[in-house]
Amino acid sequence: MLRLKLITCSFCIMLLAGSAAFGNGKLKELKFEWQLVKGVIEYEVTIKDKNNSVVFKKKTDKNYIAFKLKPGNYTLNIDTVTKFKKKGPSSGWQPLN
């Protein structure tokens, strides 16, 4: 299992599907899970491709998200919204390949 430690935030992201999902050229369903952050009510997950184009963006109140990607090089960022409806800590862009 691949674990990415976030720089700005105090939670971890785990790629549950593993890096083998990118090996055969087909769309694969991946699931990310992270530790809950105290005081956060919403997470916004954004994934960009190697051209810096957004290929996935979704908000969730859960500490996990599932999505499908084609093989390639991607970066991932998770932004947070606090219970006061203000921007909370962010993961910073992390490589996902």
Side-chain angles (χ1 to χ4, degrees), residues 24-41:
N24 64 9
K26 296 180 181 177
L27 275 175
K28 291 292 183 174
E29 184 158 350
L30 304 172
K31 182 178 179 181
F32 274 101
E33 185 175 53
W34 54 88
Q35 293 177 348
L36 293 171
V37 179
K38 186 176 180 179
V40 167
I41 60 167

Side-chain angles (χ1 to χ4, degrees), residues 53-89:
S53 298
V54 174
V55 295
F56 179 85
K57 190 170 195 170
K58 187 171 181 183
K59 293 180 181 181
T60 181
D61 61 351
K62 309 289 185 215
N63 68 321
Y64 60 88
I65 198 158
F67 54 92
K68 292 183 180 182
L69 286 178
K70 292 180 182 178
N73 294 317
Y74 299 93
T75 54
L76 168 96
N77 182 64
I78 301 176
D79 290 317
T80 61
V81 176
T82 69
K83 61 185 174 184
F84 302 110
K85 305 284 186 194
K86 297 196 180 232
K87 184 176 177 178

